[in-house]
Amino acid sequence: MKKIVFFNFILCFLLMAQGVFSQEDFRKSAPKPGPAPRIELGKADQFTLKNGLKVIVVENHKLPRVSFQVFVDVPPFMEGEFTGYASMSGQLLNKGTTTRTKSQIDEAVDFIGASLSSSASGVSGSSLTKHKDKLLSIMSDVLLNPVFPQEEFDKIKKQTLSALAQAKDDPNAIASNVASVMRYGKNHPYGEVESEKTIEKITVDKCKEFYATYFKPNISYLIVTGDITAKEVKQLAPKYFGEWKQGNVSRSTFPVPQRPETTQVDFVDKTGAVQSVINVTYPVDLTPGAADAVKASVMNTLLGGYFGSRLMSNLREDKAYTYGARSTLDDDPVVGYFNAYASVRNEVTDSAVVQFLYELNRLRTGEIPDSELEMVKNVMTGSFARSLERPETVARFALNTARFNLPADYYNTYLERLSKVTKADIKAMADKYITPDKAHILIVGNKDEVAEKLIQFSPEKKVNYFDAFGNPVEQGGLVVPEGVTVQTVLSDYLTALGGADNIAKIKNVKISMSTTIQGMTMETTMYHEEPSKLSMVNAMMGNVIQQSVFDGEKGVNIQMGQKAPMEGADLEDMKVDAHLFPERFYKKLGVEAELKGMEMVEGKKAYKIVATYPSGNKKTQYFDAETSLKIREVEQKGEATVINDTGNYKEINGVKFPHSLIVTGAAPFPLTLETTDIEVNGTMDQSLFKVE
């Protein structure tokens, strides 16, 4: 009996063990994927008004809200010397109509808790469903009866110019602009870049011309999503948009941009930058819904389209060159583009380019593990599934289907096509769309520290230089004349100011400046007493908001009543900067100055001097070759590059002082300070320099 019980125990143990082992074997491998599901998207009802306006309705009754968008499918066209007027026209649309002022529009929208916006592609708005008629009344008025008020135009022009001034200091904005020029050329609509020159030329009449030419219902779509029925929209659409007059809209053709014959190294100098923005880019022939579209998208996702991509794994995780390295393969009905990009430290810029090229070539020639391909497909499947949770996604799919003449089931069968992508497909897409040997390697960074290292990537062994708007900058024509040295440049500068003797007669000086920040005036007052006492006070509405005090040896920064002593490099730098025209004492103060050549600064030839302070910090200074006066100073402050542009020099007591100062990079927007008063050798309260 005992033997039978023991035998049964052993048998049960073996059976249990076998079950455990089989379960462990099961856990060692992922289950094989089943067939991709066919997605049933939310229904999109479509119809067309008599004037040609195509209407798309996607119902979603989860929340009592509804959204309307009038999308004007403006064909590509050249804006030329007025580049930017289409965008400004779009912004002006909701700034006044024949029956409402801007304030009345804003009040009406706010009263019903709605939102309303306009652009060069039309108008859009959303509200609670019960307010749909009120919202549509405002939207149709904005769309059909704009008046383009001059005063609102002037505000938008001023804001646009301010944004451009800020973008000139943003390496990523610079890279985006110049990359567009490199890919498409300036004779293509996609290669046009706004500049101060083009914006200044725009008038209200040009904005009216854009509206009159392109805002036609027969090239437009009304997309409605939310808590509304198609039956209701069939009544509302003609009521509010049926009077919109149709018209002919001409379409221009342009030469198809081509990739460069060989790799080109393109560079934009960002003096003082501690990081380089890298773009490897070129145009591609890839249209929405093309046979390659899904396969090419998988290929790009694997390369640089998600956090676990090859570029991220290499440049971020393995090399620690950057916080993020990505790639984009964009389809477009006219011409698409490829771009691989990252921001990296100066000292690893060339090494990062090596790794970009390595990954691009590896995608073309190397093996792709099954697990990597499955991971990418899973990521894309999850992303697609999450997007379907938003009703606007279904509306966007319906709009794309209509705009690009896609098959009716194009998005329903997306996951099926995604699941069928093979490693051979990836290789074919890489061969077709990844061409590191025919690309623009664009770098925005510090020329002095980076540019020469990039010559190795150019088959022609040269670097092409451009400004922030993609205009070529000739380097060879700017040669320092024989006999010009750092000593002669600084000596000529002091002479141009009035001479060392006149400067030495200044025992103290008070300089008052003012600027406007969001409609409020900020007053800045600088007090200086020889040899190196300095006090700077910033005040708004009579209240001191910030103050810096230096007594010649120690200093303190005071902000909103909170004191912080100057320490480390900040204190060491102040021991130089507290001197009036410190260039007089560079050698005595231990500042090493080096003449680095000549460059164009705002259309002026200028000598470039890099001053290295005892702290190790550097300032790059530019002196007008014609007047010898200092016109720009660039300094790196943490992550920001601060540019001080000085001008409008006026003589006070035999010495020229700049009366205008434009500071870029120290704030989210450029600061323009104008000197209102300069008092030399007056009575000065010594308590101004007291450090407590």
Side-chain angles (χ1 to χ4, degrees), residues 597-629:
M598 295 185 73
E599 290 185 9
M600 298 298 295
V601 176
E602 303 297 337
K604 300 176 182 178
K605 292 183 180 180
Y607 296 111
K608 177 181 179 180
I609 287 178
V610 175
T612 304
Y613 281 37
S615 66
N617 290 336
K618 296 181 179 181
K619 289 188 177 182
T620 304
Q621 302 168 322
Y622 295 88
F623 299 85
D624 189 326
E626 183 176 343
T627 67
S628 297
L629 295 170

Side-chain angles (χ1 to χ4, degrees), residues 325-343:
R326 298 276 187 172
S327 66
T328 298
L329 183 60
D330 183 69
D331 58 15
D332 186 90
V334 177
V335 58
Y337 71 89
F338 172 81
N339 190 34
Y341 54 95
S343 295

Side-chain angles (χ1 to χ4, degrees), residues 56 137 208 294 321 364 374 390 457 503 565 692:
I56 300 171
S137 174
K208 292 179 180 178
V294 174
Y321 289 162
R364 291 161 56 92
E374 288 305 316
R390 301 185 296 272
F457 304 112
I503 297 174
E692 297 179 338

Side-chain angles (χ1 to χ4, degrees), residues 105-165:
I105 293 172
D106 293 341
E107 288 172 6
V109 171
D110 290 344
F111 185 75
I112 60 175
S115 66
L116 177 70
S117 62
S118 65
S119 71
S121 298
V123 296
S124 60
S126 64
S127 71
L128 292 173
T129 306
K130 64 181 180 180
H131 295 313
K132 59 182 180 293
D133 277 278
K134 294 178 181 178
L135 175 61
L136 284 171
S137 174
I138 302 169
M139 281 186 63
S140 62
D141 192 24
V142 165
L143 180 67
L144 304 183
N145 306 306
V147 293
F148 302 94
Q150 181 69 46
E151 62 274 17
E152 295 298 332
F153 170 81
D154 293 338
K155 290 178 185 178
I156 291 174
K157 175 179 275 193
K158 185 176 181 180
Q159 293 167 356
T160 303
L161 289 170
S162 178
L164 281 174

Side-chain angles (χ1 to χ4, degrees), residues 54 61 75 96 121 129 198 208 242 312 329 408 502 510 579 581:
K54 292 168 277 294
H61 302 284
S121 298
T129 306
T198 66
K208 292 179 180 178
M312 286 287 282
L329 183 60
N502 282 337
K510 173 186 175 182
H579 290 79
F581 306 119

Side-chain angles (χ1 to χ4, degrees), residues 132 153 190 282 373 446 528 617 684:
K132 59 182 180 293
F153 170 81
Y190 291 179
Y282 47 84
L373 179 57
N446 191 326
H528 167 84
N617 290 336
M684 194 159 287

Side-chain angles (χ1 to χ4, degrees), residues 73-377:
D73 195 4
V74 178
F77 71 99
M78 295 294 295
E79 296 183 70
E81 61 182 333
F82 304 100
T83 298
Y85 79 91
S87 174
M88 291 182 66
S89 177
Q91 294 178 66
L92 271 172
L93 272 180
N94 66 345
K95 299 300 187 291
T97 72
T98 54
T99 60
R100 294 179 174 94
T101 64
K102 177 185 180 299
S103 61
Q104 288 173 331
I105 293 172
D106 293 341
E107 288 172 6
V109 171
D110 290 344
F111 185 75
I112 60 175
S115 66
L116 177 70
S117 62
S118 65
S119 71
S121 298
V123 296
S124 60
S126 64
S127 71
L128 292 173
T129 306
K130 64 181 180 180
H131 295 313
K132 59 182 180 293
D133 277 278
K134 294 178 181 178
L135 175 61
L136 284 171
S137 174
I138 302 169
M139 281 186 63
S140 62
D141 192 24
V142 165
L143 180 67
L144 304 183
N145 306 306
V147 293
F148 302 94
Q150 181 69 46
E151 62 274 17
E152 295 298 332
F153 170 81
D154 293 338
K155 290 178 185 178
I156 291 174
K157 175 179 275 193
K158 185 176 181 180
Q159 293 167 356
T160 303
L161 289 170
S162 178
L164 281 174
Q166 182 180 349
K168 285 168 61 177
D169 188 55
D170 182 348
N172 291 297
I174 294 171
S176 177
N177 281 341
V178 179
S180 295
V181 176
M182 296 299 101
R183 286 193 295 259
Y184 310 116
K186 290 202 169 186
N187 293 322
H188 192 280
Y190 291 179
E192 291 189 301
V193 177
E194 295 178 10
S195 68
E196 289 96 335
K197 185 178 180 180
T198 66
I199 297 300
E200 287 287 8
K201 287 188 175 183
I202 298 172
T203 63
V204 168
D205 287 340
K206 285 300 295 184
C207 294
K208 292 179 180 178
E209 177 187 311
F210 169 78
Y211 172 81
T213 302
Y214 295 106
F215 269 57
K216 307 295 182 184
N218 41 297
I219 64 165
S220 302
Y221 301 81
L222 170 62
I223 304 101
V224 185
T225 59
D227 184 27
I228 194 169
T229 65
K231 182 179 179 181
E232 290 176 291
V233 176
K234 286 180 179 179
Q235 295 176 336
L236 294 170
K239 177 181 177 181
Y240 291 105
F241 303 104
E243 297 302 315
W244 192 7
K245 303 298 183 183
Q246 63 179 343
N248 294 325
V249 177
S250 62
R251 293 181 178 270
S252 303
T253 58
F254 304 93
V256 178
Q258 301 296 320
R259 306 171 205 185
E261 290 298 320
T262 59
T263 296
Q264 294 186 18
V265 177
D266 306 314
F267 199 93
V268 180
D269 184 23
K270 188 72 174 62
T271 302
V274 297
Q275 282 195 325
S276 298
V277 178
I278 300 174
N279 284 254
V280 181
T281 191
Y282 47 84
V284 297
D285 181 13
L286 182 63
T287 57
D292 286 348
V294 174
K295 291 180 278 190
S297 180
V298 176
M299 180 270 295
N300 178 72
T301 303
L302 184 149
L303 174 65
Y306 77 111
F307 193 81
S309 69
R310 290 186 173 188
L311 289 177
M312 286 287 282
S313 297
N314 184 331
L315 280 89
R316 175 190 164 101
E317 302 301 327
D318 184 36
K319 304 298 189 304
Y321 289 162
T322 179
Y323 286 113
R326 298 276 187 172
S327 66
T328 298
L329 183 60
D330 183 69
D331 58 15
D332 186 90
V334 177
V335 58
Y337 71 89
F338 172 81
N339 190 34
Y341 54 95
S343 295
V344 303
R345 305 186 309 278
N346 285 349
E347 59 269 24
V348 299
T349 301
D350 55 331
S351 299
V353 173
V354 169
Q355 295 307 316
F356 268 111
L357 298 179
Y358 166 75
E359 291 298 348
L360 296 179
N361 282 305
R362 183 164 77 100
L363 190 61
R364 291 161 56 92
T365 61
E367 290 297 318
I368 300 172
D370 292 333
S371 57
E372 184 179 21
L373 179 57
E374 288 305 316
M375 172 61 76
V376 170
K377 289 183 183 180

